[in-house]
């Protein structure tokens, strides 16, 4: 039973609040989850820590073209997530809940008007998810979740590096995972997030809804090491409401690789991934969209 429980540590879907530089136009940044992200774990209490660095190579406009000059930036984040899967069921699914506390350190350098630097650090907007539902079959898993990003962090409309967004977001999650073989050594998964935003009080603008899909194709070796291809595709589905600088809709696309290893006796899993963004376009509220590379580490502990 211990081995069965810890094998599911790799399949905790997540959502981390990070600055505008990473999320399409909301709170959830693509690339936080990769291999096996669409399966909920068994009953128990779980902690997952996310440590990642995002290096901005360039900033793009609404057509996806880089703006002139040497523009760059860095986002460092450490997010703490607690997941409690109860022993109760609903609609035939295991029921659980979660909360996330992100810590951010952001800096952007723009090569315009003699050079401008923006930076901020602190605790980001908090997430509370009262609903996690997980269904499990012999060779498949499915997950639905719902929660809200609360407007709790400091926000400055004149600072693109603000750790807060200035608005809240309701996030709906739906995902699935399929194992190609009975031993579950090969798998493919997809996890989607849909965000519905509230009005940004400082500007009076309500960002348009957004949708993203994180996907992965993984293979677990006999020694327990899992390797695979990962990526994400994210789109803003509707323009920001009246008052936004333009009616453009943001999007981001990336591909990368991931490796993970599980220590069943300790109830610990460590995963690492690298993503390269090959396309990014800005939306109306943001005006500019970053394009860069992400390095992510995840540490999961089952109690």
């Amino acid at each position: 039973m211990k081995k069965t429980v810890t094998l599911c540590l790799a399949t905790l879907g997540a959502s981390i609040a990070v600055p505008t530089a990473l999320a399409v136009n909301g709170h959830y940044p693509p690339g936080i989850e990769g291999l096996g992200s669409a399966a909920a774990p068994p009953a128990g209490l779980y902690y997952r820590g996310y440590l990642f660095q995002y290096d901005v190579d360039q900033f793009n406009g609404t057509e996806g073209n880089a703006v002139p000059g040497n523009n760059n930036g860095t986002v460092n984040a450490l997010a703490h997530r607690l997941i409690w899967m109860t022993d109760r069921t609903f609609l035939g699914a295991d029921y659980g809940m979660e909360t996330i506390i992100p810590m951010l350190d952001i800096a952007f350098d723009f090569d315009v008007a003699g050079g401008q630097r923006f930076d901020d650090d602190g605790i980001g907007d908090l997430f509370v998810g009262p609903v996690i539902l997980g269904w499990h079959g012999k060779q498949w898993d499915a997950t639905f979740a719902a929660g809200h990003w609360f407007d709790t962090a400091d926000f400055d409309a004149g600072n693109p590096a603000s750790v807060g967004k200035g608005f809240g977001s309701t996030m709906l999650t739906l995902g699935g995972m399929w194992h190609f073989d009975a031993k579950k050594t090969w798998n493919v998964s997809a996890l989607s997030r849909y965000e519905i935003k509230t009005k940004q009080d400082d500007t009076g603008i309500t960002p348009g809804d957004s949708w993203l899909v994180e996907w992965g194709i993984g293979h677990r070796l006999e020694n327990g090491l899992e390797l695979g291809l990962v990526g994400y595709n994210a789109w803003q589905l509707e323009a920001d409401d009246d008052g936004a600088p333009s009616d453009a809709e943001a999007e981001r696309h990336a591909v990368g690789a991931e490796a993970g290893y599980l220590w069943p006796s300790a109830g610990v899993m460590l995963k690492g991934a690298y993503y390269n963004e090959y396309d990014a376009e800005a939306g109306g509220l943001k005006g500019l969209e970053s394009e860069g590379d992400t390095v992510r580490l995840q540490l999961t502990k089952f109690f």
Side-chain angles (χ1 to χ4, degrees):
M1 179 61 182
K2 181 71 171 181
K3 184 176 182 180
T4 302
V5 171
T6 52
L7 281 173
C8 293
L9 294 176
T11 62
L12 298 171
S15 30
I16 309 281
V18 294
T20 303
L22 294 181
V24 159
N25 75 329
H27 284 84
Y28 184 80
I32 294 303
E33 292 295 336
L35 299 177
S37 60
L45 179 65
Y46 300 81
Y47 166 80
R48 173 168 280 181
Y50 301 82
L51 177 65
F52 68 89
Q53 179 175 319
Y54 177 71
D55 289 319
V56 180
D57 296 327
Q58 64 190 44
F59 286 91
N60 298 343
T62 56
E63 299 298 322
N65 299 318
V67 299
N70 181 22
N71 307 296
N72 55 73
T74 302
V75 179
N76 293 297
L78 172 62
H80 306 282
R81 182 187 181 207
L82 289 174
I83 310 105
W84 178 36
M85 296 300 298
T86 71
D87 57 2
R88 298 179 181 274
T89 61
F90 180 71
L91 298 178
D94 298 335
Y95 170 73
M97 59 193 72
E98 63 182 324
T99 187
I100 301 164
I101 305 173
M103 302 168 62
L104 307 165
D105 186 357
I106 312 158
F108 298 144
D109 291 295
F110 296 97
D111 188 17
V112 294
Q116 297 185 61
R117 180 178 177 84
F118 300 90
D119 56 70
D120 195 12
D121 62 83
I123 297 176
D125 293 335
L126 304 182
F127 178 80
V128 176
V131 177
I132 300 175
L133 298 177
W135 294 266
H136 309 283
K138 288 184 178 180
Q139 290 182 223
W140 62 269
D141 299 274
T143 299
F144 171 82
H148 190 79
W149 294 98
F150 289 90
D151 180 17
T152 56
D154 293 335
F155 172 73
D156 179 358
N159 183 6
S162 287
V163 297
K165 297 288 187 179
F167 58 85
S169 297
T170 296
M171 187 169 73
L172 305 176
T173 298
L174 182 64
M177 180 176 178
W178 174 259
H179 298 276
F180 293 102
D181 57 321
K183 292 184 178 181
K184 298 185 177 181
T185 59
W186 284 94
N187 67 80
V188 60
S189 63
L191 187 72
S192 65
R193 314 278 195 181
Y194 190 92
E195 284 192 70
I196 305 167
K197 291 85 175 181
T198 65
K199 179 183 292 187
Q200 190 175 63
D201 291 335
D202 285 22
T203 64
I205 298 172
T206 301
D209 293 356
S210 59
W211 180 63
L212 68 89
V213 177
E214 296 177 282
W215 54 267
I217 303 173
H219 177 56
R220 190 179 74 252
L221 306 178
E222 291 185 2
N223 62 5
L225 180 67
E226 186 174 24
L227 304 172
L229 184 70
V230 292
Y232 58 77
N233 304 89
W235 302 268
Q236 181 179 346
L237 299 180
E238 58 183 8
D240 303 333
D241 69 1
D242 294 340
S246 77
D247 60 359
E249 298 171 3
E251 60 181 87
R252 316 177 68 83
H253 307 277
V255 66
E258 182 174 301
Y261 191 80
L262 174 69
W263 289 267
S265 60
V268 172
M269 172 161 237
L270 182 64
K271 297 171 65 175
Y274 166 78
Y275 291 84
N276 172 254
E277 288 182 327
Y278 57 85
D279 184 38
E281 298 180 13
L285 181 61
K286 297 164 63 175
L288 293 177
E289 185 75 70
S290 63
E291 182 176 313
D293 303 301
T294 298
V295 175
R296 163 178 52 83
L297 293 176
Q298 300 173 1
L299 173 66
T300 305
K301 171 63 179 175
F302 165 67
F303 296 96

